[in-house]
Amino acid sequence: MQNWSHLHAVLEQLNHLPSKEHVTNVMRIRPWYLDEHARYYRQTIILSSYLTPEMNALFNGLCLNYEGKVKLVTEFTGVLPKIQLEIRQVYERFDASSIGESDDARFEYFCTKVYPKIQESDAGGVLLFASSYFEYIRLSNFLKSQDASFCRIGEATSQQDISRARLWFFEGQKKILLYSERSHFFHRYKIRGGHHLVIYSLPGRKDFYPELVNMLGESANPRCNVLFSRLDLLKLERIVGACSARRLISSDKDMFVFC
């Protein structure tokens, strides 16, 4: 999961004919191996706590057993009941025509629609959450270019810098705290001082969502904004439930509110 392109490259190289014979007795090799049909006999099992578009692409493109395929699908009810606060969660949908354009479309929406509102507001306590490490780095570079008042906590951040960032954010010395999903996965930090949660990309693990929202429990006026596109259906259904996710994806409206 840390380097998906490496896994994809490995599976692409499976079942090819070797370039040298070495000490192999060719007469003992089954003919369908020599005809490069081994990929159609390979049995592949993919196990995960949750499904991702990358897994679907792997399953559809590189799992070619002639006996067919089986996929187990879960009907999710969502994790919104686990939220302990009375808080309006505003889901904002942006347009992305393909997975290849999704990252740029998300970043463009944040830069033009979300960040200007944060910049105009005098209030601090903005907890900015990114699920991907690449998104985390991209947002960090953008905030630096804008001379924004921010600190960050990622998986590679030292313990000293983490303690300093949490203190600065809690005391209001820094307006924005950039927080990565992998950091939350490893440490489960309790971030204090947050008033406005901005989820740049939904977490892959559904239980992280109520944990993040519940961090705003000390705020007198908590707010939550979530960015998503139609390509985020798999993450959406784990968090808001399968029925609500389909409604968010198919509706003509671009903004939705959960309380």
Side-chain angles (χ1 to χ4, degrees), residues 32-170:
W32 43 271
Y33 272 112
L34 298 176
D35 293 336
E36 296 193 65
H37 291 163
R39 70 188 65 183
Y40 303 114
Y41 291 85
R42 186 186 78 238
Q43 294 178 328
T44 307
I45 300 175
I46 302 175
L47 302 175
S48 175
S49 299
Y50 55 88
L51 189 61
T52 67
E54 292 84 359
M55 290 179 195
N56 277 334
L58 203 71
F59 181 78
N60 295 330
L62 297 177
C63 298
L64 306 170
N65 192 287
Y66 77 99
E67 289 282 5
K69 306 177 183 181
V70 175
K71 181 188 290 186
L72 300 181
V73 179
T74 302
E75 187 76 8
F76 293 97
T77 58
V79 293
L80 297 183
K82 294 184 178 181
I83 296 175
Q84 303 168 359
L85 310 176
E86 293 185 2
I87 177 173
R88 294 176 74 253
Q89 303 152 63
V90 181
Y91 280 66
E92 305 179 34
R93 191 181 67 201
F94 62 91
D95 293 326
S97 57
S98 67
I99 291 181
E101 298 178 1
S102 177
D103 290 341
D104 290 336
R106 187 187 306 273
F107 183 68
E108 179 68 20
Y109 186 89
F110 174 81
C111 294
T112 58
K113 302 292 185 181
V114 180
Y115 182 72
K117 297 179 182 178
I118 296 175
Q119 197 174 28
E120 292 170 1
S121 174
D122 294 330
V126 179
L127 179 59
L128 178 57
F129 175 85
S131 65
S132 163
Y133 176 74
F134 301 105
E135 294 170 344
Y136 172 80
I137 295 298
R138 192 175 196 179
L139 288 173
S140 178
N141 292 335
F142 170 75
L143 293 174
K144 285 181 182 178
S145 69
Q146 299 295 311
D147 291 327
S149 172
F150 84 103
C151 50
R152 61 183 186 176
I153 298 178
E155 59 180 289
T157 309
S158 67
Q159 189 60 50
Q160 182 179 3
D161 290 339
I162 289 172
S163 300
R164 185 183 298 115
R166 295 176 67 186
L167 179 62
W168 284 346
F169 187 67
F170 175 65

Side-chain angles (χ1 to χ4, degrees), residues 19 22 49 85 109 113 127 156 170-171 190 200-201 219:
S19 58
H22 301 286
S49 299
L85 310 176
Y109 186 89
K113 302 292 185 181
L127 179 59
F170 175 65
E171 294 181 346
K190 172 66 175 177
Y200 180 82
S201 52
S219 174

Side-chain angles (χ1 to χ4, degrees), residues 74-81 206 237-244:
T74 302
E75 187 76 8
F76 293 97
T77 58
V79 293
L80 297 183
K206 62 182 187 300
E237 64 181 10
R238 292 194 287 268
I239 292 172
V240 303
C243 294
S244 296

Side-chain angles (χ1 to χ4, degrees), residues 175-190:
K175 185 176 181 180
I176 302 171
L177 173 59
L178 178 59
Y179 191 43
S180 73
E181 179 173 2
R182 286 181 63 81
S183 179
H184 189 71
F185 173 83
F186 286 116
H187 303 289
R188 298 295 202 282
Y189 290 119
K190 172 66 175 177

